[in-house]
Amino acid sequence: MVASAAEPESHPALPRHVAVIMDGNGRWARRRALPRQAGHRAGIKPVRMTVEQCARRGVETLTLFAFSSENWRRPREEVSGLMSLFLDALEREIAELDGNGIRVRFIGDLDKLGTPLRHAVRAAELRTRANTRMTLVVAVAYGGRWDILQAARNLAADAAAGRVDPADIDEKLFANSLATAGLPSVDLLIRTGGEKRISNFLLWDIAYSEVCFSDLLWPDFDEAELTVAFDFYAKRQRRFGRTGEQIEAVRC
Ligand code: IPE
Ligand code: IPE
Ligand code: MG
């Protein structure tokens, strides 16, 4: 038996962990001859809808990719526009998120954020830490490779200091060293904007995700399209390396 203890044996129709690559804001704006920032601003509405719908449907964890470790390469004005938008949106939404029982957690190289945003992130995490209805994970300055590297570096330091025996490094210990420690593996990964790639989002955590690509640009992503993704997920047979017959036998 080599199955990871983290993989569920059965396949409930509802994903426990949904992750979203919210792509297409720039194209949405360009099509309207608007500045890219207008597209980012228009991306707030589908964020609200997705959070609300996932909480309502009973999703345990929702992870949103807001800014990648590679997005620092964008023009300086776009990066600062995005950072201001994150700060404004967080300050505006935090009371409602808290009121709705949402726990907020941020993952990424947060030291790279400006001081006001870093403080707002910390305050939001502290304020909502006892909430249990759903965990909203926001990936900012996040890269899947960055996460794997920082986990490896921390484990190597622990091993060098004699705190960890290298022979004890297994999937569980490694997963607990990632920024996503304690979160379930991603069941359903959604990417909007038509591109069929991962763009250095969660890597370790999407090993067995079902992947749903939407051609809608993120500002146009709505409840109907989210429902399409949930329906797609409910129809998948998750085999985790086994045969379809084995899965059917377990179900009977
Ligand atoms: C996603 O939309 C938002 C971020 C990456 C921050 P984009 O800004 O990448 O939009 P497109 O892909 O250029 O349309
Ligand atoms: C992925 O979108 C990052 C986020 C949605 C935050 P990008 O627009 O940065 O991805 P690429 O560059 O097209 O792969
Ligand atoms: Mg893009």
Side-chain angles (χ1 to χ4, degrees):
M1 252 312 172
V2 290
S4 154
E7 309 304 351
E9 287 302 312
S10 63
H11 172 212
L14 183 74
R16 284 179 73 195
H17 187 172
V18 176
V20 188
I21 303 175
M22 311 182 287
D23 193 27
N25 296 349
R27 279 163 286 166
W28 184 92
R30 206 168 52 211
R31 281 178 197 178
R32 287 162 179 76
L34 294 169
R36 292 179 61 85
Q37 183 68 5
H40 296 316
R41 250 185 270 118
I44 301 281
K45 192 174 158 209
V47 167
R48 291 179 62 105
M49 180 281 295
T50 304
V51 171
E52 208 174 290
Q53 281 299 317
C54 286
R56 197 168 288 170
R57 289 167 196 240
V59 167
E60 199 177 298
T61 307
L62 169 66
T63 300
L64 300 177
F65 202 9
F67 191 88
S68 76
S69 44
E70 286 69 37
N71 288 148
W72 294 113
R73 296 172 179 158
R74 292 192 177 197
R76 202 205 300 236
E77 320 79 72
E78 179 163 351
V79 171
S80 60
L82 278 164
M83 294 300 152
S84 313
L85 189 65
F86 295 153
L87 184 57
D88 285 356
L90 188 56
E91 285 175 344
R92 212 168 338 106
E93 306 288 337
I94 193 62
E96 194 175 332
L97 288 166
D98 189 29
N100 285 330
I102 314 283
R103 179 178 186 170
V104 184
R105 176 167 158 183
F106 288 80
I107 54 169
D109 196 354
L110 305 178
D111 290 343
K112 291 221 166 76
L113 305 180
T115 313
L117 183 54
R118 235 179 26 245
H119 284 170
V121 157
R122 189 77 195 111
E125 288 183 334
L126 279 174
R127 175 173 177 165
T128 62
R129 71 181 157 180
N131 292 345
T132 54
R133 185 165 169 228
M134 183 178 83
T135 298
L136 169 63
V137 183
V138 184
V140 210
Y142 179 87
R145 287 185 173 177
W146 164 82
D147 201 358
I148 290 172
L149 274 176
Q150 65 83 27
R153 205 180 297 122
N154 287 336
L155 282 169
D158 284 346
R163 290 188 293 267
V164 163
D165 179 347
D168 289 338
I169 300 177
D170 56 8
E171 283 195 19
K172 199 167 162 219
L173 187 57
F174 197 87
N176 278 329
S177 306
L178 292 166
T180 53
L183 303 175
S185 290
V186 174
D187 299 303
L188 172 62
L189 173 68
I190 301 170
R191 181 177 186 139
T192 62
E195 308 291 359
K196 293 179 175 59
R197 55 180 178 247
I198 302 302
S199 301
N200 198 20
F201 192 26
L202 305 162
L203 294 176
W204 175 277
D205 316 77
I206 62 163
Y208 269 105
S209 301
E210 303 298 333
V211 187
C212 186
F213 296 103
S214 164
D215 285 329
L216 291 188
L217 302 173
W218 177 251
D220 293 327
F221 189 71
D222 57 10
E223 195 183 324
E225 193 75 348
L226 181 65
T227 302
V228 168
F230 274 97
D231 290 348
F232 157 87
Y233 178 81
K235 291 196 188 87
R236 306 269 69 77
Q237 184 190 53
R238 304 191 76 193
R239 294 190 280 277
F240 300 102
R242 296 182 180 84
T243 67
E245 290 73 15
Q246 285 177 297
I247 304 296
E248 283 306 319
V250 171
R251 277 201 184 168
C252 294

